[in-house]
Amino acid sequence: MVSVTESLSWRVVGTSPNGKPYTRWFPSAITVLRRLPTGRQAIFRRVWSRSGQRRFGFAFYAGDETISDALRDLAGELLGPAPHFLEMHPLLGEHDRLTIQHQTFTRNFWRVDNIPDLTRNLFGASRYRKDLVKAVARARPLGLFAAWSMRGLVPTDWVITLLQRHTATAEDHRLDGWVRQVPQSDLRPHLRGLDEVTLRRLTRNVTGLTSQQIRDLTWMQVAPPVRLRTWEELHDHTARIDNLARRARQRMRSAGSEVHDRARIDSERSALTGITERGLRVFTATEPETLLDWGRAARNCISSYEQGLLYGTVHLLGIYDGGALVANAEIEPGPPPNLRQLLGRFNKHLPREQHDDIVAFLTGRGVDCSGTYEGRIGCTAA
């Protein structure tokens, strides 16, 4: 294996305490350009601080502009010209555009020169099928990103349906600009809470599945799930909740001087979000506008708790079965947090199975549910 090494050092000249002059050398950086067995060139670099401790080390493929001209020229003589990035990753576009895109998604394309291997990287060997390979080969990049975001959440047949709605030629994978269609942030959190009916609709109806709308969506706060028909509806619903959340955060900042122990309150609210053993989805309200939505859906007065929500004197939960709001809960902040109310729509008691499932979830999250609260089975609401 042939390699070319460049070493940089600091020279320190001084006089010792006994009056003798000295010259010392300290390593600064070592760069090694090496041709790998595959014929590609790789750069390995180690950098040291002035104290002698190694600051970092890394490796990357040749073509980087930071290596010196002398090292590049010598490597060209001994190792030959460095291959172009597209020669190493033929299914990707220009390298500089990858640095600002979704790294986990684009990494599936690295060192892959055929669609079957790309399909395995994206969806896993257990979901590999010939019809999935054909759909990947013809899919548009944005559709491929959306389908990849749905992996494991829907059956493979649904993934194929989504990909087929974005039919295009396989050359789309090599267009210089295609990577720009892929957003920087993750789409999956916006899909994970949706019910099966909505996910099925999104794989069939791709209205609104555009690069601009999906890029906007990935930057927004995840919204409480509702039943939707199209990607456009998902975008508009999430945008509305995100705008309301920003306005609520502004109000919270203005009230921040009167709110004590905000870090603990935020931590408690985050811990109360999740999925129960029977699949109910539990969300914590962070802005008053969410309470308005819950109040309209459940026909209760939860929106009157706006001041308590803003000042951190109460935690309010919405419990969903699929896309339907089935219950709300009021929790008094701790330590430890205490359950005050757990009621269904119209302030009615929940069925025992739902009630026990939610109580078990809250108990597992550190909430004291042993006391008397409105909605407890066997108790009468005040």
Side-chain angles (χ1 to χ4, degrees):
M1 181 180 295
V2 180
S3 63
V4 179
T5 301
E6 178 185 65
S7 177
L8 299 177
S9 301
W10 290 300
R11 187 180 71 166
V12 179
V13 179
T15 303
S16 63
N18 59 10
K20 293 183 179 180
Y22 66 84
T23 300
R24 295 174 183 171
W25 291 87
F26 295 93
S28 172
I30 293 179
T31 302
V32 180
L33 198 152
R34 180 180 301 164
R35 180 179 290 279
L36 302 180
T38 59
R40 301 168 183 169
Q41 295 178 9
I43 297 173
F44 302 88
R45 179 171 293 168
R46 293 180 181 178
V47 179
W48 286 267
S49 65
R50 285 188 175 272
S51 63
Q53 297 180 343
R54 194 176 79 174
R55 293 168 56 192
F56 54 84
F58 52 89
F60 50 93
Y61 284 112
D64 185 80
E65 298 296 332
T66 63
I67 65 175
S68 66
D69 292 337
L71 179 60
R72 191 188 306 278
D73 294 341
L74 183 57
E77 295 178 10
L78 298 179
L79 306 181
H84 191 272
F85 186 83
L86 277 179
E87 296 177 14
M88 297 182 289
H89 313 297
L91 298 184
L92 281 176
E94 297 178 7
H95 185 204
D96 59 346
R97 287 173 179 163
L98 292 180
T99 59
I100 61 171
Q101 304 305 331
H102 196 289
Q103 294 295 302
T104 305
F105 174 70
T106 54
R107 195 177 296 120
N108 292 295
F109 290 76
W110 282 54
R111 296 177 294 279
V112 175
D113 57 5
N114 61 83
I115 301 300
D117 287 345
L118 174 62
T119 304
R120 290 189 182 91
N121 288 351
L122 289 170
F123 300 101
S126 61
R127 302 185 187 94
Y128 180 85
R129 290 165 33 177
K130 290 184 177 180
D131 51 351
L132 179 59
V133 174
K134 292 180 180 178
V136 170
R138 295 183 173 93
R140 298 182 184 275
L142 188 63
L144 193 59
F145 177 74
W148 174 77
S149 300
M150 284 188 168
R151 69 196 187 283
L153 302 178
V154 300
T156 303
D157 290 336
W158 297 10
V159 172
I160 295 173
T161 299
L162 175 62
L163 291 171
Q164 289 174 343
R165 302 301 174 111
H166 292 80
T167 300
T169 64
E171 293 179 354
D172 273 350
H173 293 297
R174 299 194 58 174
L175 293 178
D176 286 341
W178 80 261
V179 179
R180 290 180 295 178
Q181 300 179 37
V182 178
Q184 301 177 30
S185 303
D186 205 354
L187 177 63
R188 194 173 176 84
H190 296 272
L191 304 174
R192 192 178 288 118
L194 299 178
D195 65 307
E196 185 176 291
V197 173
T198 298
L199 289 173
R200 183 54 170 156
R201 289 171 174 173
L202 294 181
T203 60
R204 289 178 170 177
N205 191 336
V206 295
T207 302
L209 187 56
T210 64
S211 58
Q212 184 61 50
Q213 294 216 36
I214 296 303
R215 189 179 296 110
D216 291 345
L217 184 63
T218 58
W219 283 104
M220 296 176 189
Q221 173 180 306
V222 177
V226 295
R227 186 155 289 182
L228 304 164
R229 292 182 175 82
T230 67
W231 292 89
E232 189 173 25
E233 289 184 8
L234 175 61
H235 172 275
D236 294 345
H237 168 66
T238 306
R240 175 176 172 272
I241 299 299
D242 187 70
N243 288 332
L244 295 176
R246 282 200 296 268
R247 286 157 48 189
R249 285 193 293 268
Q250 291 175 354
R251 290 198 297 271
M252 286 183 178
R253 282 194 293 269
S254 64
S257 59
E258 302 180 41
V259 178
H260 303 287
D261 206 358
R262 171 64 67 185
R264 177 182 58 81
I265 293 172
D266 292 342
S267 177
E268 287 185 2
R269 287 178 176 174
S270 177
L272 293 173
T273 300
I275 301 178
T276 70
E277 185 177 352
R278 293 181 177 272
L280 299 178
R281 296 176 175 87
V282 182
F283 292 87
T284 308
T286 57
E287 66 279 343
E289 285 75 8
T290 299
L291 303 184
L292 294 174
D293 292 338
W294 288 352
R296 285 192 291 266
R299 298 296 192 271
N300 59 29
C301 60
I302 195 171
S303 60
S304 64
Y305 288 80
E306 174 181 348
Q307 186 173 1
L309 179 68
L310 287 175
Y311 286 89
T313 59
V314 66
H315 303 324
L316 300 169
L317 309 182
I319 297 97
Y320 285 79
D321 184 2
L325 179 68
V326 296
N328 290 112
E330 175 194 352
I331 295 176
E332 180 182 3
N338 291 278
L339 180 60
R340 301 290 301 275
Q341 294 188 66
L342 176 58
L343 297 167
R345 298 182 70 235
F346 304 101
N347 283 336
K348 293 183 178 180
H349 283 58
L350 293 169
R352 179 173 291 275
E353 287 187 358
Q354 282 188 344
H355 171 274
D356 294 347
D357 184 33
I358 297 170
V359 168
F361 170 84
L362 295 176
T363 302
R365 299 302 175 99
V367 178
D368 183 3
C369 303
S370 60
T372 300
Y373 55 87
E374 295 186 28
R376 182 171 181 173
I377 299 298
C379 296
T380 303

